[in-house]
Every structure is written in structure tokens, then in C-alpha cells.
Amino acid sequence: MQIAFEQAYGHKAEKMYFAPGRVNLIGEHTDYNGGCVFPCALSFGAWLLLAKNDDKVLRYKSLNMPQTYEIAINAIKPQPDKAWCNYALGCLDIIARRHPEAQLKSGYDILYYGNVPAGAGLSSSAAMEVVTARAFTEEMGWQDSDDKAYRTELALIGQACEHEYAGVMCGIMDQFASAQGKKDHAIYLNCDTMDFEHVPVKLEGIKVVISNTHSPHHLDSGAYNDRVRQCKTAVEQINAVKPIKNLAELTPDDWREVEKAITDPVAKKRARHVVGEVARTSEAVEALKNGNIQLFGKLMTASHVSLRDDYEVTGPELDALAEAAWQVDGVLGSRMTGGGFGGCTVSLVRDEAIEAFKAFVGEEYEKKTGLKADFYVAEIGDGVSKLKIEM
Ligand code: GLA
């Protein structure tokens, strides 16, 4: 990476950071409803290298993207045409606004590199935001001495950037997983309170397999923000019979009492998913803690069905992958992960079944969609970190 930086800028980088992408095991579209999620950080993610310059400009280059940008440090604002540098600039703007004592005093030459498969729904943008927040809270002179609180703040900076500079009204899950990840653990996070627990994912003889649809369909901000709005409508209508702030406050028993209050049929389906998914997530985490992986897998599969039928965020490619996976002996559960539409599924597969899984699911998927899937055995890694750099 140092060599790449020198090739890009003609001098060495001074610092280097890494933040991971994530895969969510269960708890989908619950985060912005005040519910729980259960993601893990991955071993792939985004790297950022930087060196100060004397020119009071931010120079942005990426090994993944051809566009380069040069922006004066006193002219930070959203750039047009979905410029990739928005994910970087936005974080600097948010840091300065959330921490007025932290300001940019110099220009920087900056290089990004990411190895999260593009468009896979494994949070390449959250990785970029969190790595930027980590680097620039340090450069701009604000760092919390409490590591846990600091990492949560990095996630909040990344989320605010996504809202304001990318226009996606996302929940906190992706940035939180990237900031707070821990090797071989999933994060059981309550998105209302931000309390969380690292739960070991030690699966004897079972692997977490990610299958990539390579679908041309992507979760766009429109379809995502629609879901956020539909959930708000459901909350408003439920408030006629029961005061709640978030859908996640409702248990399945409450649901039976309040569902009639939702007159909008689409909002009702969305809310039914959220209430069910919140209950499934806590049941799944208990099951994992008790070593009941069979039950965990069944709940993953039930999660997909609910996301397909009630939340309507799966689409033909994700359904084809999940439905083929359910037919394979040695698959404990399989579901879409992340926002949906295109992207990836996550499956629990017994070691001895992995080859058969890849062959059967790959073939069925191609038959149904004409596309080729890709498979990765997930390595669960740590959250954002500063790396040593050779000078
Ligand atoms: C995207 C968002 C997250 C979360 C998931 C769905 O990844 O960025 O905040 O809402 O979709 O669970």
C-alpha cells in the first residue's frame, strides 16, 4: 500500500488505517426501528493512507475508482454526481460539526483502497466512512479516551455522513459493526440504546458462507427510504391505540392487539416483519449462546421468508440463492443479508457440505437467473484500527 501511495503522490504516506465491511447474521431492517441486530465485521474492508500537504487542499485518490478530486479545506460540501469522495468529505464535515474543537488545520493527500466486493451489500461505504472517521478524528484533534465510546462515536459520524452526503436514511448497524467488530464474535446490538455485547461465534464444524448474487439490482436510496417511511406510518397509526416510539417495542403478543390500527396495508406488512424479526433476533442470539445452532439456522431461514413476503426486499436473485441453499443437506439456514434487492446471502453450512453447497446453489442460481454466483467463507475480523506503516 505504501508503494501505491508513493506512485499516486510521489512521496510516502505517514499513516494508515483499516475498517472492515460486515455481514449481518440476523436482525434485518430492524436497526432504524429501534430493534436489535447481530452483525459481524469481516476481514475485508477499506484502507486509508494519508500524508499532510502544504497546499490547504484535500486530494483524493482511490485504487478502485478512476475519479480523483481536489477540494480546498475551507470548501467542504457535498459534491455532485454521486462523487465517491462524498463518503470521505461528509465525515470531515460531520466531525467538525459534532466536535467544534476539532478542525482541519492542514491539507492532506489521501488514498483509499477497498476489497469488499462492490455492490455486494457488505457495507463497503460504511467501511470507508468509519476508516475516514477514525483517521480524521485523530488528525483534527478529537479522540475519546474511552475506547468503547470512541468507537460508537465513529459509527455515529459515519451514519450522519450517509444521511447527509449520500441521502440514505440508514440505521446504525453497518457503521457500528465496522467500528466495534471483534475477531470471531458477532455484535448483539440494541440500536435504540446502543448497548451491545460481543457474542462468540464458535461453530464446531460449521462455516458462515456468503454467496454473492452479482445482481445488477442494487438497494437504492429510494427503495430503502420508502421502507423507513412506511415503518414511520405504521408507528403513527399504532399510536392511536398504543403509545410507542419504535416498532421494536412491540412483542408478537402486542402485535395481535395493535395490528388492526394500521390501515395502510403496505405499512402493516412492513411492521409485521419488524416485530417478528426483533423477536427472532433475540431468540437466535439465545440459541447461539446455548449451542443450539439448528434453531439459529431455522430462524435465519424464517427471517428470509419474512423479508421476502412482508418486507419485499429480496427479489428474484436473492430468493434463488436462498431457496437453493435450503435444499442442500448440511445447510442449517440461509437468508439475505444487508439492505436487500441485490447483494448477498449468508448461510450456515457444515464443513463437509460446502463443496456440494457451492456446486448445487451455483448451478440452480445460474439456471434461474442466468448469472454466476460467488462464494466466500467468512472470516470474522476486528473493527477499525490504525495500522503500522513502513516509512
Ligand atoms: C442497510 C443499512 C442498515 C440496515 C440494513 C438492513 O445495510 O445501511 O442500516 O438498515 O440495510 O438491515
Side-chain angles (χ1 to χ4, degrees):
M1 288 293 292
Q2 180 62 286
I3 294 170
F5 189 93
E6 265 192 273
Q7 278 168 356
Y9 289 110
H11 58 90
K12 285 187 189 295
E14 292 158 2
K15 294 179 181 173
M16 172 159 73
Y17 303 83
F18 169 77
R22 64 95 190 91
V23 63
N24 186 25
L25 298 180
I26 193 161
E28 216 66 84
H29 288 281
T30 51
D31 58 354
Y32 52 86
N33 286 300
C36 297
V37 292
F38 200 47
C40 328
L42 293 168
S43 56
F44 36 54
W47 284 259
L48 183 167
L49 286 84
L50 59 79
K52 282 189 179 155
N53 66 43
D54 297 327
D55 307 327
K56 300 240 181 274
V57 293
L58 297 160
R59 292 197 185 94
Y60 285 113
K61 294 187 180 179
S62 160
L63 296 182
N64 304 89
M65 251 83 66
Q67 305 89 338
T68 62
Y69 303 94
E70 188 164 316
I71 288 150
I73 64 170
N74 57 6
I76 295 179
K77 57 173 193 291
Q79 303 298 304
D81 304 327
K82 301 204 161 146
W84 67 257
C85 69
N86 278 336
Y87 296 98
L89 283 177
C91 289
L92 272 53
D93 185 6
I94 308 283
I95 294 168
R97 275 155 45 199
R98 286 174 76 95
H99 303 284
E101 73 278 24
Q103 296 300 330
L104 210 51
K105 289 166 208 87
S106 119
Y108 287 89
D109 294 347
I110 301 158
L111 179 71
Y112 287 93
Y113 167 66
N115 65 353
V116 181
L122 301 174
S123 297
S124 52
S125 63
M128 186 168 165
E129 288 152 1
V130 170
V131 80
T132 306
R134 172 64 187 83
F136 280 90
T137 44
E138 182 174 321
E139 292 306 309
M140 293 162 72
W142 180 84
Q143 272 180 292
D144 197 322
S145 57
D146 176 333
D147 185 61
K148 203 166 140 185
Y150 178 49
R151 287 172 182 273
T152 295
E153 176 61 12
L154 298 180
L156 289 167
I157 292 166
Q159 183 195 27
C161 169
E162 190 83 36
H163 289 182
E164 294 188 34
Y165 276 67
V168 181
M169 299 313 288
C170 66
I172 192 67
M173 170 170 77
D174 305 349
Q175 292 80 4
F176 202 93
S178 183
Q180 300 274 18
K182 181 170 170 185
K183 190 167 173 45
D184 296 330
H185 288 69
I187 307 166
Y188 185 31
L189 166 68
N190 176 326
C191 300
D192 188 31
T193 60
M194 298 287 193
D195 288 336
F196 71 100
E197 179 189 349
H198 285 126
V199 180
V201 181
K202 26 174 206 326
L203 304 167
E204 275 310 301
I206 294 165
K207 297 278 184 299
V208 176
V209 180
I210 297 173
S211 311
N212 190 343
T213 58
H214 287 292
S215 156
H217 305 136
H218 294 302
L219 172 69
D220 62 15
S221 54
Y224 186 90
N225 293 347
D226 282 349
R227 300 299 184 284
V228 176
R229 258 193 307 275
Q230 290 154 353
C231 290
K232 273 211 183 98
T233 302
V235 170
E236 278 159 22
Q237 299 189 345
I238 290 168
N239 265 280
V241 293
K242 184 179 171 74
I244 56 163
K245 185 167 72 119
N246 287 312
L247 289 175
E249 290 161 42
L250 300 170
T251 63
D253 282 341
D254 296 332
W255 175 250
R256 280 184 278 278
E257 283 169 30
V258 302
E259 64 171 317
K260 280 186 217 72
I262 311 176
T263 52
D264 176 332
V266 174
K268 186 185 244 170
K269 279 187 172 185
R270 306 298 187 246
R272 185 163 58 209
H273 163 73
V274 174
V275 174
E277 185 75 355
V278 167
R280 271 188 294 277
T281 305
S282 55
E283 196 183 347
V285 174
E286 268 318 293
L288 183 67
K289 286 181 179 171
N290 297 329
N292 189 349
I293 314 297
Q294 299 274 1
L295 177 57
F296 192 94
K298 285 205 176 98
L299 292 161
M300 286 173 76
T301 294
S303 164
H304 185 93
V305 170
S306 173
L307 288 155
R308 181 189 68 192
D309 299 345
D310 278 343
Y311 222 67
E312 296 175 291
V313 287
T314 56
E317 292 85 7
L318 287 167
D319 287 340
L321 277 185
E323 287 162 13
W326 299 338
Q327 296 177 48
V328 178
D329 268 350
V331 170
L332 293 101
S334 181
R335 59 182 287 279
M336 59 153 268
T337 185
F341 296 103
C344 290
T345 61
V346 57
S347 311
L348 297 184
V349 188
R350 291 198 189 282
D351 288 345
E352 62 277 13
I354 290 182
E355 285 314 311
F357 171 89
K358 288 185 190 168
F360 180 79
V361 175
E363 202 173 302
E364 287 293 296
Y365 181 65
E366 197 173 346
K367 256 194 251 160
K368 280 202 181 143
T369 64
L371 298 167
K372 279 201 192 311
D374 247 343
F375 303 94
Y376 330 98
V377 171
E379 259 180 65
I380 303 178
D382 283 322
V384 64
S385 61
K386 185 173 184 178
L387 304 174
K388 284 215 172 68
I389 189 163
E390 285 164 34
M391 295 303 285

